[in-house]
Amino acid sequence: MWRRSWAKYGISAPRRPQGRLALTRRRSFSASRISYISGFSGRGKEVIILDNYIYTLGNSLYINLTNRCTNSCVFCVRSQTDGMGGQRLWLEKEPDAEQVIQLIPNPEKYDEIVFCGFGEPTERLDVLLQICRYLKKFSVPIRINTNGHASMIAKRDVAPLFRGLVDTISISLNASSARHYQELCQCCEGERGFEEMLDFARRVKEYVPNVILSVVDVMPQKEIEECREIAQRLGVKFRVRTLITKED
């Protein structure tokens, strides 16, 4: 089966509890991990662990709103490392919109602003939209990287809410069938997550100018082409992205 190709990355299963709510639990840190974060070592030292709500990759700014997610993907970089771009992205406390806005006084210095962290950004939909309204005052492209479960999470159609606020929505397709999707993504709602994701893509393209379905490049070519056909049927763009690993 094609999913065996993940093995070359040493990825077999998540190293964390399953399900959406499990990802809200506070993570425990060893003394060495705390020392790495704080710069202190030894017992009796006061340690402050800072939450990173923003981080940069290249000249793009990324916003990290939550660690909650409806999926527990077996290939997710969160199962291998604590952060990206030199920043720890596990959160002790989720930010409100104003906390994030205060960290971005000059949005136009960036090539793009992306909602993408160690969780599904649409789990914090109200906060995300508030930040987008602020950013839209400036000339900077806004992208959301998502698993496409926004409406499933909200239990209503939220696609119209993105009208005029977001330039690009990139949705992780990851598989060409509900069965393969559930094997890889382990959605808390089971195979329903696949259909919810496709329905969101179908709906949100009416309100956002650039909608993309993406897959990772370690999939066999046959599966990639099947996914490309899904994107074509939905009338959205298709992208093959590089699998992010701990070493990247």
Side-chain angles (χ1 to χ4, degrees):
M1 187 177 292
W2 72 264
R3 60 196 174 108
R4 292 175 183 168
S5 60
W6 303 112
K8 68 180 179 180
Y9 293 96
I11 302 170
S12 56
R15 296 191 324 223
R16 59 185 185 280
Q18 299 296 306
R20 173 183 173 192
L21 296 180
L23 298 182
T24 67
R25 298 175 184 170
R26 292 170 64 93
R27 288 168 58 87
S28 60
F29 295 91
S30 65
S32 61
R33 172 59 65 188
I34 292 175
S35 298
Y36 172 77
I37 294 170
S38 67
F40 292 98
S41 61
R43 299 182 63 182
K45 296 288 187 180
E46 181 178 359
V47 175
I48 299 175
I49 299 176
L50 299 178
D51 284 331
N52 290 306
Y53 301 142
I54 63 171
Y55 63 105
T56 58
L57 293 175
N59 198 42
S60 294
L61 181 75
Y62 287 73
I63 298 176
N64 181 38
L65 291 180
T66 185
N67 294 151
R68 287 180 282 166
C69 190
T70 47
N71 286 348
S72 294
C73 299
V74 298
F75 53 84
C76 184
V77 69
R78 299 185 309 173
S79 66
Q80 307 167 63
T81 184
D82 284 335
M84 292 290 296
Q87 301 291 317
R88 173 182 171 271
L89 298 180
W90 288 107
L91 301 176
E92 299 298 308
K93 183 179 179 181
E94 294 178 336
D96 59 33
E98 189 58 34
Q99 285 176 292
V100 175
I101 288 170
Q102 289 178 357
L103 296 173
I104 319 174
N106 184 17
E108 292 179 331
K109 68 183 285 188
Y110 301 104
D111 294 337
E112 185 179 35
I113 295 182
V114 186
F115 288 87
C116 177
F118 262 23
E120 168 51 43
T122 62
E123 289 271 11
R124 307 285 317 286
L125 185 60
D126 289 345
V127 170
L128 182 153
L129 294 174
Q130 288 180 56
I131 297 169
C132 285
R133 292 186 191 102
Y134 162 74
L135 294 174
K136 269 302 175 183
K137 299 175 183 178
F138 304 90
S139 180
V140 58
I142 300 171
R143 167 163 52 103
I144 300 174
N145 288 358
T146 176
N147 62 17
H149 291 165
S151 293
M152 184 179 77
I153 293 166
K155 297 182 172 58
R156 61 189 177 94
D157 178 19
V158 299
L161 300 179
F162 296 98
R163 187 204 304 263
L165 293 179
V166 179
D167 300 286
T168 299
I169 289 187
S170 181
I171 303 169
S172 297
L173 175 57
N174 291 332
S176 61
S177 71
R179 180 176 62 84
H180 277 174
Y181 183 85
Q182 185 59 16
E183 286 176 349
L184 290 172
C185 299
Q186 302 181 76
C187 177
C188 64
E189 296 290 340
E191 293 185 3
R192 173 190 166 205
F194 182 75
E195 298 302 330
E196 289 279 354
M197 175 263 298
L198 295 181
D199 187 60
F200 177 74
R202 186 182 299 110
R203 292 281 297 137
V204 81
K205 73 175 185 178
E206 304 298 327
Y207 306 101
V208 174
N210 191 29
V211 176
I212 303 167
L213 289 181
S214 72
V215 298
V216 288
D217 57 0
V218 297
M219 294 170 60
Q221 193 61 36
K222 181 177 183 294
E223 185 89 7
I224 289 175
E225 292 308 315
E226 290 171 351
C227 290
R228 190 189 307 275
E229 291 175 5
I230 290 174
Q232 290 174 346
R233 288 199 301 269
L234 292 176
V236 300
K237 296 179 181 179
F238 181 72
R239 174 174 173 257
V240 180
R241 69 185 191 274
T242 301
L243 176 67
I244 299 175
T245 67
K246 183 178 180 179
E247 290 76 23
D248 290 338

